[in-house]
Amino acid sequence: MTAADFGDPYSVLRPVRSGNTFEETIEHLLQAIRVGLFPPGQKLPPERDLAEHLGVSRATLREALAELQTAGFLEIRRGRYGGTYILEAPNAAPQGVQHMDPLQRRDVLVFRAVLEPAAAELAAQADLSASAREHLQGCLSDLEGADRASYRARDARFHIAIAELSGSPSLITAVTDTRARVSALLDEIPLLPANLEHSNAQHLAITTAILHGDGARAKSLMIDHLEGTASLLRGFLT
Amino acid sequence: MTAADFGDPYSVLRPVRSGNTFEETIEHLLQAIRVGLFPPGQKLPPERDLAEHLGVSRATLREALAELQTAGFLEIRRGRYGGTYILEAPNAAPQGVQHMDPLQRRDVLVFRAVLEPAAAELAAQADLSASAREHLQGCLSDLEGADRASYRARDARFHIAIAELSGSPSLITAVTDTRARVSALLDEIPLLPANLEHSNAQHLAITTAILHGDGARAKSLMIDHLEGTASLLRGFLT
DNA sequence: ACACCATGGACTGAAATCAGTCCTTTGAGG
DNA sequence: CCTCAAAGGACTGATTTCAGTCCATGGTGT
């Protein structure tokens, strides 16, 4: 354990707001993009819908969108059949990358090691519909066809797809949030072709286990897969 | 799966704000109280501290506190050595108890079955300090000495204590949130002395396993324990 | 008694946020 | 061409939230 005392009331009385609405909206959208939910070329829902779903006024949402456009993530087009289009992630390397501190790193890795194997097991045990199976396989083949630029996002997307099959909204949300944090971590280290191939083999194996309904195997494969990334990270970030 | 399509963008683009600051602040405080973090008789931190930690202005915090006082959860005293004291939870049964819908019920139970066994295992595997051990045992004996009125809160507190030993802030937060939801569920069914005794035996066994560093056992005991509550709930709520 | 001071109580003006309304753009279809 | 409709763009006034400041209360310790 760290500095925090046990029973520290402030671990529950954490911030109600992590910034102003405007900033949180940006973060939210950025997470959705980084995590591969909106592939480049696709467009976001209309502002009015989006604002409603985000629980934010359209004015505030528009400020956030304008900022993201300036930063090069979006292109906004007017007129009928216009909309907010997602662009290729600006290669502009994470500028102010504030290296995540070691405690947070540990937290992310531990937490995802809790969530993702469980998600894989649940997914395998679930009674999957045809569309569910297709969705998973679709995410897998997208990932296999990815280049360096698109790999991280599609990888995240694939892992989230597994959580989606679990059928627990809370789990989906938790996996998504954690994946966004993992991606931030991964951006600090290089993407090696060897690791990439190995990962893809694991992705395939996990998918197969899930589609065969083999929960135990899906879980243990996922544990191995995560351990691979974790040790990679430990190696590069010391 | 349910209505939500796979890859539904709105599962990530969820509300940035779940209400106004004032309401969220009330919810936050109420959760901390219900979950046993602030036992009756104790007082909350000074308003100025609390406001800062919650990331909310003191004005807004005070509105929330005033509301909670009106509702009978708090008593606010002025002067030196004054403060905001927690009262016995108003027996005022959950008034507008909006029975949780079946999908949410399933979600809560699934999610906590993911989190809590993992937390127990991590706790057992961790290198526990003396104060950590004391903390866990303290929560356990508080729980054993609980009466009907205080049982739920102390039960929650005990389960959260286990998560605290895991050393992962994200896991602590997730367990806490989920526990608050479980408590809401449990408030819909009666508290039977027989179940209560059985639960206490399980709590003791789990604690023992954790303190002995037996992760596998702690985990499997926790799974059994949760399954007990889950089937109880399934029985009463049909 | 008295001074102290940590704590809650109250007020003010600025800033953020919202809901509602109306304007502008632009591709599709007739 | 012209019209329509679905999208973004812009404005307004009300409401919420904030940071900062000063006041009031009432145990403690001299």
Side-chain angles (χ1 to χ4, degrees), chain A residues 1 5-17 19-21 24-25 28-29 31-32 37-38 45 49-50 53-56 106-107 110-111 114-115 118 122 129 131-132 135 157 164-174 176-177 181 219, chain B residues 1 5-17 19-21 24-25 28-29 31-32 37-38 45 49-50 53-56 106-107 110-111 114-115 118 122 129 131-132 135 157 164-174 176-177 181 219:
Chain A
M1 194 69 186
D5 291 338
F6 297 102
D8 174 9
Y10 288 121
S11 62
V12 178
L13 296 179
R14 61 193 179 292
V16 171
R17 299 271 125 115
N20 55 34
T21 309
E24 280 191 63
T25 304
H28 234 80
L29 292 169
Q31 172 179 315
L37 257 212
F38 291 100
D49 287 13
L50 200 47
H53 279 276
L54 291 177
V56 149
R106 181 169 175 278
D107 180 46
V110 167
F111 196 44
V114 167
L115 298 175
L122 287 168
S129 67
S131 71
H135 178 58
R157 188 71 197 82
E164 287 179 286
L165 301 189
S166 76
S168 162
S170 299
L171 186 53
I172 300 174
T173 301
T176 303
D177 286 350
R181 294 208 283 157
K219 181 177 185 177
Chain B
M1 196 68 187
D5 290 338
F6 297 103
D8 174 10
Y10 289 121
S11 62
V12 178
L13 297 178
R14 61 192 179 292
V16 172
R17 300 270 123 115
N20 54 33
T21 308
E24 280 191 61
T25 304
H28 233 80
L29 292 168
Q31 172 179 315
L37 259 209
F38 291 100
D49 286 14
L50 200 47
H53 278 276
L54 292 178
V56 149
R106 179 167 176 281
D107 180 46
V110 167
F111 196 45
V114 168
L115 298 175
L122 287 168
S129 66
S131 72
H135 178 57
R157 188 72 197 81
E164 288 179 286
L165 301 190
S166 76
S168 163
S170 300
L171 186 53
I172 300 175
T173 302
T176 304
D177 287 350
R181 294 209 283 157
K219 181 179 186 176

Side-chain angles (χ1 to χ4, degrees), chain A residues 29-97:
Chain A
L29 292 169
L30 217 40
Q31 172 179 315
I33 294 172
R34 276 202 279 247
V35 115
L37 257 212
F38 291 100
Q42 202 177 310
K43 63 178 179 180
L44 292 175
E47 293 181 354
R48 290 166 175 84
D49 287 13
L50 200 47
E52 193 181 334
H53 279 276
L54 291 177
V56 149
S57 76
R58 207 179 139 220
T60 305
L61 169 64
R62 278 172 53 64
E63 281 182 72
L65 291 176
E67 185 96 355
L68 287 172
Q69 183 177 36
T70 303
F73 288 94
L74 300 174
E75 183 197 341
I76 304 178
R77 283 188 229 139
R78 300 182 64 168
R80 181 86 137 94
Y81 293 71
T84 310
Y85 291 79
I86 285 83
L87 299 179
E88 213 64 55
N91 56 0
Q95 344 70 320
V97 248

Side-chain angles (χ1 to χ4, degrees), chain B residues 107-175:
Chain B
D107 180 46
V108 179
L109 295 178
V110 167
F111 196 45
R112 90 167 177 141
V114 168
L115 298 175
E116 298 208 28
E121 187 175 25
L122 287 168
Q125 291 165 348
D127 182 21
L128 299 178
S129 66
S131 72
R133 291 163 180 278
E134 275 164 33
H135 178 57
L136 181 62
Q137 280 188 309
C139 288
L140 176 64
S141 43
D142 282 355
L143 177 51
E144 285 170 336
D147 57 14
R148 298 176 86 79
S150 58
Y151 189 79
R152 289 278 155 73
R154 294 187 188 183
D155 185 28
R157 188 72 197 81
F158 171 75
H159 282 264
I160 292 169
I162 292 174
E164 288 179 286
L165 301 190
S166 76
S168 163
S170 300
L171 186 53
I172 300 175
T173 302
V175 168

Side-chain angles (χ1 to χ4, degrees), chain B residues 21-223:
Chain B
T21 308
F22 163 65
E23 289 166 347
E24 280 191 61
T25 304
I26 289 185
E27 256 328 297
H28 233 80
L29 292 168
L30 217 41
Q31 172 179 315
I33 294 172
R34 276 201 280 247
V35 114
L37 259 209
F38 291 100
Q42 201 178 312
K43 63 178 178 180
L44 293 175
E47 292 180 354
R48 290 167 177 83
D49 286 14
L50 200 47
E52 194 181 334
H53 278 276
L54 292 178
V56 149
S57 76
R58 206 178 139 218
T60 305
L61 170 64
R62 278 173 52 65
E63 280 183 74
L65 290 175
E67 185 96 354
L68 287 172
Q69 182 177 38
T70 303
F73 287 95
L74 299 175
E75 184 196 341
I76 303 178
R77 283 187 230 140
R78 301 183 62 170
R80 180 93 140 91
Y81 292 71
T84 311
Y85 291 80
I86 284 84
L87 300 178
E88 214 63 57
N91 55 2
Q95 341 70 321
V97 249
Q98 22 180 345
H99 270 239
M100 201 177 281
D101 92 50
L103 276 143
Q104 289 189 345
R105 277 215 294 270
R106 179 167 176 281
D107 180 46
V108 179
L109 295 178
V110 167
F111 196 45
R112 90 167 177 141
V114 168
L115 298 175
E116 298 208 28
E121 187 175 25
L122 287 168
Q125 291 165 348
D127 182 21
L128 299 178
S129 66
S131 72
R133 291 163 180 278
E134 275 164 33
H135 178 57
L136 181 62
Q137 280 188 309
C139 288
L140 176 64
S141 43
D142 282 355
L143 177 51
E144 285 170 336
D147 57 14
R148 298 176 86 79
S150 58
Y151 189 79
R152 289 278 155 73
R154 294 187 188 183
D155 185 28
R157 188 72 197 81
F158 171 75
H159 282 264
I160 292 169
I162 292 174
E164 288 179 286
L165 301 190
S166 76
S168 163
S170 300
L171 186 53
I172 300 175
T173 302
V175 168
T176 304
D177 287 350
T178 309
R179 255 292 144 179
R181 294 209 283 157
V182 172
S183 290
L185 252 183
L186 289 173
D187 280 339
E188 297 181 21
I189 68 171
L191 194 62
L192 302 177
N195 299 132
L196 206 146
E197 254 181 65
H198 185 220
S199 277
N200 271 341
Q202 292 180 315
H203 290 145
L204 175 59
I206 292 169
T207 303
T208 305
I210 290 175
L211 294 179
H212 281 51
D214 189 343
R217 182 166 170 74
K219 181 179 186 176
S220 92
L221 286 169
M222 180 62 89
I223 291 175

Side-chain angles (χ1 to χ4, degrees), chain A residues 147-179:
Chain A
D147 57 14
R148 297 176 87 79
S150 58
Y151 189 79
R152 287 280 153 71
R154 294 189 189 180
D155 184 28
R157 188 71 197 82
F158 170 75
H159 282 266
I160 293 170
I162 292 175
E164 287 179 286
L165 301 189
S166 76
S168 162
S170 299
L171 186 53
I172 300 174
T173 301
V175 168
T176 303
D177 286 350
T178 308
R179 254 293 143 178

